[in-house]
mmCIF file of all heavy atoms in Angstrom:
data_model
loop_
_atom_site.group_PDB
_atom_site.id
_atom_site.type_symbol
_atom_site.label_atom_id
_atom_site.label_comp_id
_atom_site.label_asym_id
_atom_site.label_seq_id
_atom_site.Cartn_x
_atom_site.Cartn_y
_atom_site.Cartn_z
ATOM 1 N N PRO A 7 1.988 -51.322 -24.162
ATOM 2 C CA PRO A 7 2.957 -51.085 -23.088
ATOM 3 C C PRO A 7 3.877 -52.279 -22.896
ATOM 4 O O PRO A 7 3.576 -53.387 -23.349
ATOM 5 C CB PRO A 7 2.060 -50.877 -21.854
ATOM 6 C CG PRO A 7 0.788 -51.569 -22.174
ATOM 7 C CD PRO A 7 0.639 -51.611 -23.660
ATOM 8 N N GLY A 8 4.999 -52.038 -22.231
ATOM 9 C CA GLY A 8 5.924 -53.129 -21.923
ATOM 10 C C GLY A 8 6.913 -53.377 -23.043
ATOM 11 O O GLY A 8 7.278 -52.466 -23.780
ATOM 12 N N VAL A 9 7.314 -54.627 -23.163
ATOM 13 C CA VAL A 9 8.326 -55.000 -24.155
ATOM 14 C C VAL A 9 7.624 -55.532 -25.408
ATOM 15 O O VAL A 9 6.880 -56.505 -25.347
ATOM 16 C CB VAL A 9 9.263 -56.097 -23.588
ATOM 17 C CG1 VAL A 9 10.298 -56.514 -24.616
ATOM 18 C CG2 VAL A 9 9.921 -55.610 -22.300
ATOM 19 N N VAL A 10 7.844 -54.846 -26.531
ATOM 20 C CA VAL A 10 7.198 -55.249 -27.785
ATOM 21 C C VAL A 10 8.278 -55.751 -28.742
ATOM 22 O O VAL A 10 9.309 -55.105 -28.919
ATOM 23 C CB VAL A 10 6.483 -54.039 -28.445
ATOM 24 C CG1 VAL A 10 5.763 -54.462 -29.701
ATOM 25 C CG2 VAL A 10 5.536 -53.384 -27.454
ATOM 26 N N TRP A 11 8.048 -56.916 -29.325
ATOM 27 C CA TRP A 11 8.978 -57.445 -30.310
ATOM 28 C C TRP A 11 8.296 -57.444 -31.685
ATOM 29 O O TRP A 11 7.089 -57.710 -31.785
ATOM 30 C CB TRP A 11 9.392 -58.888 -29.952
ATOM 31 C CG TRP A 11 10.434 -58.962 -28.883
ATOM 32 C CD1 TRP A 11 10.810 -57.958 -28.023
ATOM 33 C CD2 TRP A 11 11.234 -60.095 -28.547
ATOM 34 N NE1 TRP A 11 11.790 -58.414 -27.185
ATOM 35 C CE2 TRP A 11 12.071 -59.715 -27.466
ATOM 36 C CE3 TRP A 11 11.313 -61.407 -29.037
ATOM 37 C CZ2 TRP A 11 12.987 -60.598 -26.898
ATOM 38 C CZ3 TRP A 11 12.224 -62.284 -28.472
ATOM 39 C CH2 TRP A 11 13.062 -61.883 -27.411
ATOM 40 N N LEU A 12 9.102 -57.128 -32.708
ATOM 41 C CA LEU A 12 8.581 -57.094 -34.078
ATOM 42 C C LEU A 12 9.506 -57.875 -35.007
ATOM 43 O O LEU A 12 10.723 -57.768 -34.895
ATOM 44 C CB LEU A 12 8.502 -55.669 -34.606
ATOM 45 C CG LEU A 12 7.622 -54.680 -33.869
ATOM 46 C CD1 LEU A 12 8.459 -53.808 -32.959
ATOM 47 C CD2 LEU A 12 6.852 -53.830 -34.853
ATOM 48 N N ALA A 13 8.904 -58.594 -35.928
ATOM 49 C CA ALA A 13 9.672 -59.266 -36.971
ATOM 50 C C ALA A 13 8.842 -59.261 -38.243
ATOM 51 O O ALA A 13 7.617 -59.067 -38.207
ATOM 52 C CB ALA A 13 10.017 -60.702 -36.563
ATOM 53 N N SER A 14 9.507 -59.452 -39.368
ATOM 54 C CA SER A 14 8.789 -59.512 -40.651
ATOM 55 C C SER A 14 9.604 -60.288 -41.665
ATOM 56 O O SER A 14 10.743 -60.662 -41.398
ATOM 57 C CB SER A 14 8.499 -58.096 -41.183
ATOM 58 O OG SER A 14 9.676 -57.517 -41.685
ATOM 59 N N ASP A 15 9.013 -60.518 -42.819
ATOM 60 C CA ASP A 15 9.727 -61.102 -43.966
ATOM 61 C C ASP A 15 10.413 -62.433 -43.640
ATOM 62 O O ASP A 15 11.569 -62.649 -43.962
ATOM 63 C CB ASP A 15 10.739 -60.089 -44.525
ATOM 64 C CG ASP A 15 10.053 -58.808 -44.968
ATOM 65 O OD1 ASP A 15 9.555 -58.768 -46.110
ATOM 66 O OD2 ASP A 15 9.942 -57.869 -44.156
ATOM 67 N N ILE A 16 9.657 -63.307 -42.988
ATOM 68 C CA ILE A 16 10.175 -64.629 -42.676
ATOM 69 C C ILE A 16 10.005 -65.540 -43.894
ATOM 70 O O ILE A 16 10.771 -66.465 -44.106
ATOM 71 C CB ILE A 16 9.463 -65.218 -41.439
ATOM 72 C CG1 ILE A 16 9.524 -64.205 -40.280
ATOM 73 C CG2 ILE A 16 10.125 -66.515 -40.997
ATOM 74 C CD1 ILE A 16 8.253 -63.455 -40.004
ATOM 75 N N HIS A 17 8.989 -65.255 -44.686
ATOM 76 C CA HIS A 17 8.746 -66.004 -45.937
ATOM 77 C C HIS A 17 8.657 -67.503 -45.698
ATOM 78 O O HIS A 17 9.278 -68.297 -46.417
ATOM 79 C CB HIS A 17 9.813 -65.662 -46.984
ATOM 80 C CG HIS A 17 9.767 -64.243 -47.466
ATOM 81 N ND1 HIS A 17 9.041 -63.844 -48.556
ATOM 82 C CD2 HIS A 17 10.296 -63.102 -46.975
ATOM 83 C CE1 HIS A 17 9.155 -62.539 -48.731
ATOM 84 N NE2 HIS A 17 9.912 -62.061 -47.776
ATOM 85 N N LEU A 18 7.891 -67.889 -44.691
ATOM 86 C CA LEU A 18 7.707 -69.321 -44.391
ATOM 87 C C LEU A 18 7.084 -70.047 -45.577
ATOM 88 O O LEU A 18 6.188 -69.514 -46.240
ATOM 89 C CB LEU A 18 6.802 -69.494 -43.174
ATOM 90 C CG LEU A 18 7.326 -68.996 -41.823
ATOM 91 C CD1 LEU A 18 6.220 -69.045 -40.779
ATOM 92 C CD2 LEU A 18 8.534 -69.813 -41.381
ATOM 93 N N GLY A 19 7.590 -71.256 -45.835
ATOM 94 C CA GLY A 19 7.050 -72.036 -46.939
ATOM 95 C C GLY A 19 7.618 -73.438 -46.888
ATOM 96 O O GLY A 19 8.442 -73.747 -46.015
ATOM 97 N N PRO A 20 7.213 -74.293 -47.805
ATOM 98 C CA PRO A 20 7.650 -75.699 -47.772
ATOM 99 C C PRO A 20 9.132 -75.873 -48.074
ATOM 100 O O PRO A 20 9.706 -76.910 -47.724
ATOM 101 C CB PRO A 20 6.786 -76.365 -48.849
ATOM 102 C CG PRO A 20 6.316 -75.258 -49.735
ATOM 103 C CD PRO A 20 6.257 -74.028 -48.885
ATOM 104 N N GLN A 21 9.777 -74.899 -48.720
ATOM 105 C CA GLN A 21 11.181 -75.056 -49.158
ATOM 106 C C GLN A 21 12.191 -74.553 -48.151
ATOM 107 O O GLN A 21 13.390 -74.559 -48.430
ATOM 108 C CB GLN A 21 11.411 -74.305 -50.486
ATOM 109 C CG GLN A 21 10.367 -74.523 -51.556
ATOM 110 C CD GLN A 21 10.285 -75.973 -52.019
ATOM 111 O OE1 GLN A 21 11.220 -76.741 -51.803
ATOM 112 N NE2 GLN A 21 9.171 -76.343 -52.612
ATOM 113 N N THR A 22 11.731 -74.052 -46.985
ATOM 114 C CA THR A 22 12.687 -73.408 -46.068
ATOM 115 C C THR A 22 12.554 -73.930 -44.627
ATOM 116 O O THR A 22 12.226 -73.171 -43.722
ATOM 117 C CB THR A 22 12.494 -71.882 -46.101
ATOM 118 O OG1 THR A 22 11.095 -71.574 -45.920
ATOM 119 C CG2 THR A 22 12.968 -71.270 -47.410
ATOM 120 N N PRO A 23 12.826 -75.243 -44.448
ATOM 121 C CA PRO A 23 12.665 -75.831 -43.116
ATOM 122 C C PRO A 23 13.618 -75.252 -42.070
ATOM 123 O O PRO A 23 13.231 -75.130 -40.903
ATOM 124 C CB PRO A 23 12.953 -77.322 -43.353
ATOM 125 C CG PRO A 23 13.736 -77.365 -44.628
ATOM 126 C CD PRO A 23 13.240 -76.227 -45.467
ATOM 127 N N ALA A 24 14.825 -74.882 -42.442
ATOM 128 C CA ALA A 24 15.785 -74.346 -41.462
ATOM 129 C C ALA A 24 15.337 -72.970 -40.979
ATOM 130 O O ALA A 24 15.467 -72.639 -39.800
ATOM 131 C CB ALA A 24 17.179 -74.289 -42.076
ATOM 132 N N THR A 25 14.786 -72.181 -41.892
ATOM 133 C CA THR A 25 14.258 -70.870 -41.519
ATOM 134 C C THR A 25 13.086 -71.033 -40.552
ATOM 135 O O THR A 25 12.985 -70.343 -39.544
ATOM 136 C CB THR A 25 13.793 -70.099 -42.781
ATOM 137 O OG1 THR A 25 14.891 -70.013 -43.690
ATOM 138 C CG2 THR A 25 13.300 -68.706 -42.426
ATOM 139 N N GLN A 26 12.236 -71.986 -40.879
ATOM 140 C CA GLN A 26 11.072 -72.250 -40.029
ATOM 141 C C GLN A 26 11.537 -72.678 -38.629
ATOM 142 O O GLN A 26 11.005 -72.204 -37.613
ATOM 143 C CB GLN A 26 10.213 -73.342 -40.661
ATOM 144 C CG GLN A 26 8.930 -73.612 -39.885
ATOM 145 C CD GLN A 26 8.069 -74.673 -40.566
ATOM 146 O OE1 GLN A 26 8.564 -75.528 -41.286
ATOM 147 N NE2 GLN A 26 6.790 -74.612 -40.315
ATOM 148 N N HIS A 27 12.546 -73.525 -38.579
ATOM 149 C CA HIS A 27 13.077 -74.005 -37.304
ATOM 150 C C HIS A 27 13.630 -72.842 -36.478
ATOM 151 O O HIS A 27 13.332 -72.699 -35.287
ATOM 152 C CB HIS A 27 14.156 -75.060 -37.572
ATOM 153 C CG HIS A 27 14.689 -75.679 -36.320
ATOM 154 N ND1 HIS A 27 15.872 -75.283 -35.748
ATOM 155 C CD2 HIS A 27 14.177 -76.631 -35.509
ATOM 156 C CE1 HIS A 27 16.078 -75.981 -34.646
ATOM 157 N NE2 HIS A 27 15.073 -76.802 -34.469
ATOM 158 N N ALA A 28 14.408 -71.991 -37.109
ATOM 159 C CA ALA A 28 14.983 -70.827 -36.418
ATOM 160 C C ALA A 28 13.890 -69.879 -35.957
ATOM 161 O O ALA A 28 13.935 -69.340 -34.852
ATOM 162 C CB ALA A 28 15.955 -70.097 -37.344
ATOM 163 N N PHE A 29 12.882 -69.715 -36.790
ATOM 164 C CA PHE A 29 11.796 -68.801 -36.456
ATOM 165 C C PHE A 29 10.965 -69.334 -35.291
ATOM 166 O O PHE A 29 10.554 -68.582 -34.405
ATOM 167 C CB PHE A 29 10.924 -68.537 -37.690
ATOM 168 C CG PHE A 29 9.847 -67.537 -37.439
ATOM 169 C CD1 PHE A 29 10.149 -66.223 -37.117
ATOM 170 C CD2 PHE A 29 8.509 -67.901 -37.506
ATOM 171 C CE1 PHE A 29 9.151 -65.301 -36.866
ATOM 172 C CE2 PHE A 29 7.510 -66.977 -37.256
ATOM 173 C CZ PHE A 29 7.829 -65.670 -36.941
ATOM 174 N N HIS A 30 10.730 -70.636 -35.267
ATOM 175 C CA HIS A 30 9.977 -71.223 -34.165
ATOM 176 C C HIS A 30 10.746 -71.058 -32.840
ATOM 177 O O HIS A 30 10.145 -70.820 -31.787
ATOM 178 C CB HIS A 30 9.677 -72.695 -34.429
ATOM 179 C CG HIS A 30 8.578 -72.895 -35.440
ATOM 180 N ND1 HIS A 30 8.012 -74.113 -35.704
ATOM 181 C CD2 HIS A 30 7.949 -72.004 -36.252
ATOM 182 C CE1 HIS A 30 7.077 -73.983 -36.646
ATOM 183 N NE2 HIS A 30 7.022 -72.706 -36.984
ATOM 184 N N ALA A 31 12.075 -71.160 -32.898
ATOM 185 C CA ALA A 31 12.897 -70.934 -31.695
ATOM 186 C C ALA A 31 12.744 -69.482 -31.237
ATOM 187 O O ALA A 31 12.655 -69.194 -30.043
ATOM 188 C CB ALA A 31 14.360 -71.262 -31.991
ATOM 189 N N PHE A 32 12.713 -68.584 -32.217
ATOM 190 C CA PHE A 32 12.490 -67.172 -31.901
ATOM 191 C C PHE A 32 11.122 -66.961 -31.244
ATOM 192 O O PHE A 32 10.984 -66.185 -30.293
ATOM 193 C CB PHE A 32 12.604 -66.328 -33.184
ATOM 194 C CG PHE A 32 11.930 -64.988 -33.100
ATOM 195 C CD1 PHE A 32 12.526 -63.936 -32.397
ATOM 196 C CD2 PHE A 32 10.696 -64.772 -33.705
ATOM 197 C CE1 PHE A 32 11.893 -62.699 -32.312
ATOM 198 C CE2 PHE A 32 10.068 -63.542 -33.614
ATOM 199 C CZ PHE A 32 10.669 -62.503 -32.917
ATOM 200 N N LEU A 33 10.112 -67.661 -31.721
ATOM 201 C CA LEU A 33 8.761 -67.521 -31.143
ATOM 202 C C LEU A 33 8.742 -67.962 -29.684
ATOM 203 O O LEU A 33 8.093 -67.337 -28.844
ATOM 204 C CB LEU A 33 7.735 -68.302 -31.975
ATOM 205 C CG LEU A 33 7.463 -67.763 -33.386
ATOM 206 C CD1 LEU A 33 6.486 -68.681 -34.120
ATOM 207 C CD2 LEU A 33 6.915 -66.334 -33.356
ATOM 208 N N ASP A 34 9.468 -69.046 -29.379
ATOM 209 C CA ASP A 34 9.566 -69.503 -27.981
ATOM 210 C C ASP A 34 10.175 -68.418 -27.111
ATOM 211 O O ASP A 34 9.726 -68.146 -25.999
ATOM 212 C CB ASP A 34 10.439 -70.766 -27.879
ATOM 213 C CG ASP A 34 9.708 -72.002 -28.413
ATOM 214 O OD1 ASP A 34 8.462 -71.975 -28.465
ATOM 215 O OD2 ASP A 34 10.400 -72.966 -28.795
ATOM 216 N N LYS A 35 11.226 -67.808 -27.644
ATOM 217 C CA LYS A 35 11.933 -66.739 -26.930
ATOM 218 C C LYS A 35 11.004 -65.535 -26.716
ATOM 219 O O LYS A 35 10.997 -64.922 -25.651
ATOM 220 C CB LYS A 35 13.119 -66.331 -27.810
ATOM 221 C CG LYS A 35 14.291 -65.698 -27.125
ATOM 222 C CD LYS A 35 15.358 -65.572 -28.211
ATOM 223 C CE LYS A 35 16.492 -64.694 -27.928
ATOM 224 N NZ LYS A 35 17.758 -65.413 -27.896
ATOM 225 N N ALA A 36 10.224 -65.221 -27.749
ATOM 226 C CA ALA A 36 9.291 -64.084 -27.651
ATOM 227 C C ALA A 36 8.264 -64.327 -26.542
ATOM 228 O O ALA A 36 7.954 -63.422 -25.763
ATOM 229 C CB ALA A 36 8.594 -63.867 -28.996
#
Side-chain angles (χ1 to χ4, degrees):
V9 179
V10 183
W11 281 16
L12 299 100
S14 74
D15 301 276
I16 308 104
H17 294 269
L18 294 171
Q21 313 297 341
T22 50
T25 304
Q26 184 178 26
H27 184 261
F29 184 64
H30 285 189
F32 159 76
L33 292 177
D34 286 338
K35 204 173 166 117

